[in-house]
Coordinates of all heavy atoms in Angstrom, one line a residue:
Chain B
P68 N 9.6 21.1 -1.1 CA 9.2 21.3 -2.5 C 8.1 20.4 -2.9 O 7.9 19.3 -2.3 CB 10.5 21.0 -3.3 CG 11.4 20.3 -2.4 CD 10.9 20.5 -1.0
M69 N 7.2 20.9 -3.8 CA 6.1 20.1 -4.3 C 6.2 20.4 -5.8 O 6.2 21.5 -6.3 CB 4.8 20.5 -3.7 CG 3.6 19.6 -4.2 SD 2.1 20.1 -3.4 CE 2.2 19.2 -1.8
V70 N 6.2 19.3 -6.6 CA 6.3 19.4 -8.1 C 5.0 18.8 -8.7 O 4.8 17.6 -8.6 CB 7.6 18.7 -8.6 CG1 7.6 18.8 -10.2 CG2 8.8 19.3 -8.0
I71 N 4.2 19.7 -9.3 CA 2.9 19.3 -9.8 C 2.9 19.4 -11.3 O 3.1 20.5 -11.9 CB 1.8 20.2 -9.2 CG1 1.9 20.3 -7.7 CG2 0.4 19.8 -9.7 CD1 2.4 21.6 -7.1
P72 N 2.4 18.4 -12.0 CA 2.2 18.5 -13.5 C 0.9 19.2 -13.7 O -0.1 18.9 -13.1 CB 2.1 17.0 -13.9 CG 1.7 16.2 -12.7 CD 2.2 17.0 -11.5
T73 N 0.9 20.2 -14.6 CA -0.3 20.9 -14.8 C -0.3 21.6 -16.2 O 0.8 21.7 -16.8 CB -0.5 22.0 -13.7 OG1 -1.9 22.5 -13.9 CG2 0.5 23.1 -13.8
G74 N -1.5 22.0 -16.7 CA -1.6 22.6 -18.0 C -1.1 24.1 -17.9 O -1.1 24.7 -16.8
Y75 N -0.8 24.6 -19.1 CA -0.4 26.0 -19.1 C -0.7 26.6 -20.5 O -0.9 25.9 -21.4 CB 1.1 26.2 -18.8 CG 2.0 25.6 -19.8 CD1 2.5 26.4 -20.9 CD2 2.3 24.3 -19.9 CE1 3.3 25.9 -21.9 CE2 3.1 23.7 -20.9 CZ 3.6 24.6 -21.9 OH 4.4 24.0 -22.8
G76 N -0.6 27.9 -20.6 CA -0.7 28.6 -21.9 C 0.2 29.8 -21.8 O 0.5 30.3 -20.7
R77 N 0.6 30.4 -22.9 CA 1.4 31.6 -23.0 C 0.7 32.7 -23.7 O 0.1 32.4 -24.8 CB 2.7 31.2 -23.7 CG 3.7 32.4 -23.8 CD 5.0 32.0 -24.4 NE 4.9 31.8 -25.9 CZ 5.0 32.8 -26.8 NH1 5.3 34.1 -26.4 NH2 4.9 32.6 -28.1
I78 N 0.8 33.9 -23.2 CA 0.4 35.1 -23.9 C 1.5 36.0 -23.8 O 1.8 36.6 -22.7 CB -0.9 35.7 -23.3 CG1 -2.1 34.7 -23.4 CG2 -1.3 36.9 -24.1 CD1 -3.4 35.2 -22.8
G79 N 2.2 36.2 -24.9 CA 3.3 37.1 -24.9 C 4.4 36.7 -23.9 O 4.9 35.5 -24.0
E80 N 4.7 37.5 -23.0 CA 5.8 37.2 -22.0 C 5.2 36.8 -20.7 O 5.8 36.9 -19.6 CB 6.7 38.3 -21.9 CG 7.5 38.7 -23.1 CD 8.3 37.6 -23.7 OE1 8.9 36.8 -22.9 OE2 8.5 37.4 -24.9
T81 N 4.0 36.2 -20.7 CA 3.3 35.7 -19.5 C 2.9 34.3 -19.6 O 2.3 34.0 -20.7 CB 2.1 36.6 -19.1 OG1 2.6 38.0 -18.9 CG2 1.5 36.2 -17.7
L82 N 3.2 33.5 -18.6 CA 2.7 32.1 -18.6 C 1.5 32.0 -17.7 O 1.5 32.6 -16.6 CB 3.8 31.2 -18.1 CG 3.7 29.7 -18.6 CD1 4.1 29.6 -20.0 CD2 4.7 28.9 -17.7
Y83 N 0.5 31.3 -18.1 CA -0.7 31.1 -17.3 C -0.9 29.6 -16.9 O -0.7 28.7 -17.8 CB -2.0 31.6 -18.0 CG -2.0 33.1 -18.2 CD1 -1.6 33.7 -19.4 CD2 -2.4 33.9 -17.2 CE1 -1.5 35.1 -19.5 CE2 -2.4 35.3 -17.3 CZ -2.0 35.9 -18.5 OH -1.9 37.2 -18.6
L84 N -1.2 29.4 -15.7 CA -1.3 28.0 -15.2 C -2.7 27.9 -14.5 O -3.1 28.9 -13.9 CB -0.2 27.7 -14.1 CG 1.2 28.0 -14.6 CD1 2.0 28.3 -13.3 CD2 1.7 26.8 -15.3
H85 N -3.3 26.8 -14.5 CA -4.6 26.8 -13.8 C -4.8 25.6 -12.9 O -4.0 24.6 -12.9 CB -5.7 26.9 -14.9 CG -6.3 25.6 -15.2 ND1 -5.6 24.5 -15.6 CD2 -7.6 25.2 -15.2 CE1 -6.4 23.5 -15.8 NE2 -7.6 23.8 -15.6
G86 N -5.8 25.7 -12.1 CA -6.1 24.6 -11.2 C -7.3 25.0 -10.4 O -7.8 26.1 -10.5
S87 N -7.8 24.1 -9.6 CA -9.0 24.4 -8.7 C -8.6 25.4 -7.7 O -7.4 25.5 -7.3 CB -9.4 23.1 -8.0 OG -10.2 23.4 -6.8
T88 N -9.5 26.3 -7.3 CA -9.2 27.3 -6.3 C -8.9 26.6 -5.0 O -8.3 27.2 -4.1 CB -10.4 28.2 -6.1 OG1 -11.6 27.5 -6.0 CG2 -10.5 29.2 -7.2
G89 N -9.2 25.3 -4.8 CA -9.0 24.6 -3.6 C -7.6 23.9 -3.6 O -7.2 23.4 -2.6
A90 N -6.9 24.0 -4.7 CA -5.7 23.2 -4.8 C -4.5 23.8 -4.0 O -4.3 25.0 -4.1 CB -5.2 23.1 -6.3
T91 N -3.9 23.0 -3.2 CA -2.8 23.4 -2.4 C -1.7 24.1 -3.2 O -1.2 25.2 -2.8 CB -2.1 22.2 -1.7 OG1 -3.1 21.4 -1.1 CG2 -1.0 22.6 -0.7
S92 N -1.4 23.6 -4.4 CA -0.3 24.1 -5.2 C -0.6 25.5 -5.6 O 0.3 26.4 -5.6 CB -0.2 23.2 -6.4 OG -1.4 23.1 -7.1
L93 N -1.8 25.9 -6.0 CA -2.1 27.2 -6.4 C -2.1 28.2 -5.3 O -1.6 29.3 -5.4 CB -3.5 27.3 -7.2 CG -3.5 26.7 -8.6 CD1 -4.6 27.2 -9.4 CD2 -2.2 27.0 -9.3
R94 N -2.6 27.8 -4.1 CA -2.6 28.7 -3.0 C -1.1 28.9 -2.6 O -0.7 30.0 -2.3 CB -3.4 28.1 -1.8 CG -4.9 28.1 -2.0 CD -5.6 27.9 -0.7 NE -5.1 26.8 0.1 CZ -5.6 25.5 0.0 NH1 -6.6 25.3 -0.8 NH2 -5.1 24.6 0.8
A95 N -0.3 27.8 -2.7 CA 1.1 28.0 -2.3 C 1.8 28.8 -3.3 O 2.9 29.4 -3.0 CB 1.8 26.6 -2.2
G96 N 1.4 28.9 -4.6 CA 2.1 29.6 -5.6 C 1.7 31.1 -5.7 O 2.5 31.9 -6.3
D97 N 0.7 31.6 -5.0 CA 0.3 33.0 -5.1 C 1.3 33.8 -4.3 O 1.5 33.7 -3.1 CB -1.1 33.1 -4.5 CG -1.7 34.5 -4.7 OD1 -1.2 35.2 -5.7 OD2 -2.5 35.0 -3.9
A98 N 1.9 34.8 -5.1 CA 2.8 35.7 -4.5 C 4.0 35.1 -3.9 O 4.8 35.7 -3.1 CB 2.1 36.6 -3.4
A99 N 4.2 33.8 -4.2 CA 5.4 33.0 -3.7 C 6.3 32.7 -4.8 O 5.9 32.7 -6.0 CB 4.8 31.8 -3.0
P100 N 7.6 32.4 -4.4 CA 8.5 32.0 -5.5 C 8.1 30.6 -6.1 O 7.8 29.7 -5.3 CB 9.8 31.9 -4.8 CG 9.5 31.7 -3.3 CD 8.2 32.4 -3.1
V101 N 8.1 30.5 -7.4 CA 7.8 29.2 -8.0 C 8.9 29.0 -9.1 O 9.6 29.9 -9.5 CB 6.4 29.3 -8.7 CG1 5.3 29.6 -7.7 CG2 6.3 30.2 -9.9
C102 N 8.9 27.8 -9.6 CA 9.7 27.4 -10.8 C 8.8 26.6 -11.7 O 8.2 25.6 -11.2 CB 11.0 26.7 -10.3 SG 12.0 26.1 -11.7
V103 N 8.8 26.9 -12.9 CA 8.0 26.1 -13.9 C 9.0 25.6 -14.9 O 9.7 26.3 -15.5 CB 6.9 27.0 -14.6 CG1 6.3 26.3 -15.7 CG2 5.9 27.4 -13.6
T104 N 8.9 24.3 -15.1 CA 9.8 23.6 -16.1 C 9.0 22.9 -17.1 O 8.0 22.2 -16.8 CB 10.7 22.7 -15.3 OG1 11.5 23.4 -14.4 CG2 11.7 22.0 -16.3
V105 N 9.4 23.1 -18.4 CA 8.8 22.4 -19.5 C 9.9 21.6 -20.2 O 10.9 22.2 -20.5 CB 8.1 23.3 -20.5 CG1 7.6 22.6 -21.8 CG2 6.9 24.0 -19.9
T106 N 9.7 20.3 -20.4 CA 10.8 19.4 -20.9 C 10.2 18.6 -22.1 O 9.2 18.0 -21.9 CB 11.3 18.5 -19.8 OG1 11.7 19.3 -18.7 CG2 12.5 17.7 -20.3
H107 N 11.0 18.5 -23.2 CA 10.7 17.6 -24.2 C 11.9 16.6 -24.3 O 13.0 17.0 -24.4 CB 10.6 18.3 -25.6 CG 9.6 19.5 -25.6 ND1 8.3 19.3 -25.8 CD2 9.8 20.8 -25.4 CE1 7.7 20.4 -25.7 NE2 8.5 21.4 -25.5
V108 N 11.6 15.3 -24.3 CA 12.6 14.3 -24.5 C 12.6 13.9 -26.0 O 11.5 13.5 -26.5 CB 12.4 13.1 -23.6 CG1 13.4 12.0 -23.9 CG2 12.5 13.5 -22.1
D109 N 13.7 14.1 -26.7 CA 13.7 13.8 -28.1 C 14.4 12.5 -28.4 O 14.3 12.0 -29.6 CB 14.5 14.9 -28.8 CG 13.7 16.3 -28.7 OD1 12.4 16.2 -28.8 OD2 14.3 17.3 -28.5
G110 N 15.2 11.9 -27.5 CA 15.8 10.7 -27.8 C 16.8 10.3 -26.7 O 17.2 11.1 -25.8
I111 N 17.2 9.0 -26.7 CA 18.2 8.5 -25.8 C 19.5 8.5 -26.5 O 19.6 8.0 -27.6 CB 17.8 7.1 -25.3 CG1 16.4 7.1 -24.6 CG2 18.8 6.6 -24.3 CD1 16.3 8.0 -23.4
V112 N 20.6 9.0 -25.8 CA 21.9 9.1 -26.4 C 22.7 7.9 -25.9 O 23.0 7.9 -24.7 CB 22.6 10.4 -26.1 CG1 24.0 10.5 -26.7 CG2 21.7 11.6 -26.6
L113 N 23.0 7.0 -26.8 CA 23.7 5.8 -26.4 C 25.2 5.9 -26.7 O 25.6 5.9 -27.9 CB 23.0 4.6 -27.1 CG 21.5 4.5 -26.8 CD1 20.8 3.8 -28.0 CD2 21.3 3.8 -25.5
A114 N 26.0 6.0 -25.7 CA 27.4 6.2 -25.9 C 28.2 4.8 -25.7 O 27.6 3.8 -25.4 CB 27.9 7.2 -24.8
R115 N 29.5 4.9 -26.0 CA 30.3 3.7 -25.8 C 30.7 3.4 -24.4 O 31.1 2.3 -24.0 CB 31.5 3.8 -26.7 CG 31.2 3.9 -28.2 CD 32.3 4.6 -28.9 NE 32.0 4.7 -30.4 CZ 31.3 5.8 -30.9 NH1 30.9 6.7 -30.2 NH2 31.1 5.8 -32.2
S116 N 30.5 4.4 -23.5 CA 30.8 4.3 -22.1 C 29.5 4.6 -21.3 O 28.7 5.4 -21.8 CB 31.9 5.2 -21.7 OG 31.5 6.6 -21.8
A117 N 29.4 4.0 -20.2 CA 28.2 4.2 -19.3 C 28.1 5.7 -19.0 O 27.1 6.3 -19.0 CB 28.3 3.4 -18.1
F118 N 29.3 6.3 -18.7 CA 29.4 7.7 -18.3 C 28.8 8.7 -19.2 O 28.2 9.7 -18.8 CB 30.9 8.0 -18.0 CG 31.1 9.4 -17.4 CD1 30.8 9.6 -16.1 CD2 31.7 10.4 -18.2 CE1 31.1 10.9 -15.6 CE2 31.9 11.6 -17.7 CZ 31.6 11.9 -16.3
H119 N 28.9 8.4 -20.5 CA 28.5 9.4 -21.5 C 27.1 9.2 -22.0 O 26.7 9.9 -23.0 CB 29.5 9.5 -22.7 CG 30.8 10.3 -22.3 ND1 30.8 11.6 -22.0 CD2 32.1 9.9 -22.1 CE1 32.0 12.0 -21.7 NE2 32.8 10.9 -21.7
H120 N 26.4 8.3 -21.4 CA 24.9 8.2 -21.8 C 24.2 9.5 -21.4 O 24.5 10.2 -20.5 CB 24.3 7.0 -21.1 CG 24.6 5.7 -21.8 ND1 25.8 5.2 -21.9 CD2 23.7 4.9 -22.5 CE1 25.8 4.1 -22.7 NE2 24.5 3.9 -23.0
S121 N 23.3 9.9 -22.3 CA 22.6 11.1 -22.1 C 21.2 11.1 -22.7 O 20.8 10.0 -23.2 CB 23.5 12.3 -22.7 OG 22.9 13.5 -22.4
V122 N 20.6 12.2 -22.8 CA 19.3 12.4 -23.4 C 19.3 13.6 -24.3 O 19.9 14.6 -24.0 CB 18.2 12.6 -22.3 CG1 16.8 12.9 -22.9 CG2 18.1 11.4 -21.4
N123 N 18.7 13.5 -25.5 CA 18.5 14.6 -26.3 C 17.2 15.3 -25.9 O 16.2 14.6 -25.8 CB 18.4 14.3 -27.8 CG 19.8 14.1 -28.4 OD1 20.8 14.6 -27.8 ND2 20.0 13.5 -29.5
Y124 N 17.2 16.5 -25.6 CA 16.1 17.2 -24.9 C 16.1 18.7 -25.3 O 17.0 19.2 -25.7 CB 16.1 17.0 -23.4 CG 17.2 17.7 -22.7 CD1 17.1 18.9 -22.2 CD2 18.5 17.1 -22.7 CE1 18.1 19.6 -21.6 CE2 19.5 17.7 -22.1 CZ 19.4 19.0 -21.5 OH 20.4 19.6 -20.9
R125 N 14.9 19.3 -25.0 CA 14.8 20.7 -25.0 C 14.0 21.1 -23.7 O 13.0 20.5 -23.4 CB 13.9 21.2 -26.2 CG 14.6 20.9 -27.6 CD 13.5 21.0 -28.7 NE 12.7 19.7 -28.6 CZ 11.4 19.6 -28.9 NH1 10.8 20.7 -29.3 NH2 10.8 18.5 -28.9
S126 N 14.5 22.0 -22.9 CA 13.8 22.3 -21.7 C 13.9 23.8 -21.4 O 14.9 24.5 -21.8 CB 14.4 21.5 -20.5 OG 15.7 22.0 -20.2

Side-chain angles (χ1 to χ4, degrees):
Chain B
M69 185 178 279
V70 178
I71 306 111
T73 190
Y75 70 92
R77 179 178 75 88
I78 301 178
E80 298 299 326
T81 304
L82 203 71
Y83 292 96
L84 310 152
H85 99 307
S87 161
T88 47
T91 308
S92 54
L93 285 200
R94 289 199 310 269
D97 185 28
V101 304
C102 175
V103 171
T104 300
V105 173
T106 307
H107 306 276
V108 176
D109 296 320
I111 303 297
V112 180
L113 302 154
R115 295 156 182 88
S116 63
F118 184 73
H119 284 295
H120 278 66
S121 188
V122 175
N123 279 341
Y124 66 95
R125 294 160 286 145
S126 73

